[in-house]
Amino acid sequence: MYDTLKDTYQLFEEIGRGRFGTILRAFCPVSAESVAVKIIDKSLLTDETDRACLEKEPKIMTLLSPHPNILKIHNVFETEDSMAMVLELCEPETLYDKIAHRPLPEPEAAGLMKQLLGAIAHCHRMGVVHRDLKPENVLFDSRNNLKLADFGSAEWSGEGGSMEGVVGTPYYVAPEVLMGRLYNEKVDVWSAGVMLYIMLGGIPPFYGETATEIFEAVLRGNLRFPPKVFRGVSPAAKDLLRKMMCRDVSRRLSAEQALRHPWILSGGEANPMD
């Protein structure tokens, strides 16, 4: 693999590290473009699920490209021992870094959420459910455009649009996933709602000291807006949050519906619901 990869790209320093390998900065002399190369060591894949995810991820990313708010995949190189995915190069700062120390003003949060919901809606139209939406998986290019990344847990929604399997990250996982039921693409809308709550309030809606405590809080699902934190947040933003994190999946907004919510359409500014 490396001869072929190195014939096409100049590989430079490590810029990231994941569970199964490393991410390097690289340069393509033919296109004069800087890229990121994600190299996965197949010997670290411990079970069939991991191997299936590795096989699916480049296929799903290729299907979803090109979209302005989804990380672009340029190329894939594979041998028996490893796989290298050549990806669009993004800035080091993720959404997690942006929101780690302060809540965002509503117009900034609305702009980010509009881009994220656009990416999610595109995934859902193509029959793909991300299943691990969290701020760490949201990147930005050099022009500050949002890029949804890391499709390692993504799944085809399949016939009837339902799937099963507990995947995701404690703070962001939807309650129906934890209940062990069949679920659909709206698990992504719940996760995006949790991200929006943190953007506006600076704290997660469901909290615990351990993963088990967080799961229990998610299952109780009492969505509250502590006055001390949410005093300055508009009624329209809270209305969208309630509709994205609605426990009744049939009443939860789809990504397309969330994009048409007054708070998103107004850019978080003059809200008709204020």
Side-chain angles (χ1 to χ4, degrees):
M1 174 186 76
Y2 288 104
D3 288 343
T4 317
L5 179 63
K6 286 178 177 175
D7 286 345
T8 316
Y9 299 94
Q10 297 167 1
L11 302 179
F12 299 112
E13 77 279 6
E14 183 181 312
I15 54 173
R17 188 170 282 270
R19 202 157 49 110
F20 302 123
T22 55
I23 302 167
L24 307 177
R25 188 175 66 83
F27 181 74
C28 178
V30 176
S31 64
E33 189 175 15
S34 291
V35 293
V37 178
K38 182 177 180 179
I39 299 173
I40 293 120
D41 180 351
K42 290 184 181 178
S43 70
L44 298 175
L45 304 174
T46 53
D47 57 37
E48 284 305 317
T49 305
D50 291 338
R51 281 185 277 275
C53 288
L54 177 65
E55 204 173 284
K56 261 186 302 196
E57 186 173 13
K59 291 177 184 173
I60 284 174
M61 292 187 75
T62 301
L63 174 75
L64 296 173
S65 290
H67 184 278
N69 298 119
I70 292 176
L71 191 70
K72 187 177 180 184
I73 184 166
H74 295 288
N75 218 329
V76 180
F77 298 89
E78 188 169 10
T79 67
E80 207 172 304
D81 305 317
S82 56
M83 176 191 278
M85 288 190 281
V86 182
L87 306 165
E88 183 177 4
L89 182 67
C90 284
E91 297 296 302
E93 185 184 59
T94 66
L95 180 60
Y96 179 86
D97 300 314
K98 277 187 191 288
I99 64 177
H101 304 296
R102 64 177 180 96
L104 301 181
E106 288 192 42
E108 187 178 351
L112 290 169
M113 191 50 51
K114 183 177 182 180
Q115 293 180 72
L116 180 60
L117 286 167
I120 296 168
H122 177 68
C123 291
H124 294 174
R125 281 194 297 273
M126 303 302 286
V128 172
V129 185
H130 188 284
R131 300 204 302 174
D132 194 20
L133 287 172
K134 57 185 175 182
E136 295 91 328
N137 288 341
V138 175
L139 311 178
F140 297 91
D141 68 12
S142 57
R143 294 176 299 282
N144 210 32
N145 296 308
L146 180 150
K147 301 284 178 175
L148 179 58
D150 200 342
F151 287 83
S153 297
E155 185 57 274
W156 310 105
S157 55
E159 220 171 304
S162 61
M163 65 210 73
E164 57 189 342
V166 178
V167 281
T169 301
Y171 286 119
Y172 306 96
V173 69
E176 62 268 27
V177 175
L178 297 175
M179 289 174 190
R181 298 176 183 166
L182 288 174
Y183 53 84
N184 63 21
E185 76 284 350
K186 287 187 180 179
V187 296
D188 285 346
V189 177
W190 175 285
S191 302
V194 175
M195 289 163 68
L196 178 57
Y197 187 103
I198 296 171
M199 282 187 214
L200 295 173
I203 58 170
F206 310 109
Y207 182 75
E209 293 293 335
T210 64
T212 303
E213 286 180 11
I214 297 166
F215 288 152
E216 286 169 356
V218 171
L219 286 168
R220 284 195 299 274
N222 297 321
L223 185 62
R224 296 191 176 97
F225 300 103
K228 191 176 175 184
V229 177
F230 279 87
R231 185 178 293 112
V233 175
S234 69
K238 292 174 189 171
D239 180 73
L240 176 57
L241 285 166
R242 287 189 192 96
K243 289 173 177 172
M244 290 177 75
M245 284 187 282
C246 178
R247 287 175 62 79
D248 181 344
V249 180
S250 67
R251 291 173 54 229
R252 188 182 306 160
L253 296 183
S254 67
E256 295 276 10
Q257 289 168 331
L259 275 168
R260 296 195 296 270
H261 189 276
W263 187 77
I264 295 289
L265 293 175
S266 70
E269 291 284 1
N271 293 300
M273 304 181 76
D274 281 359

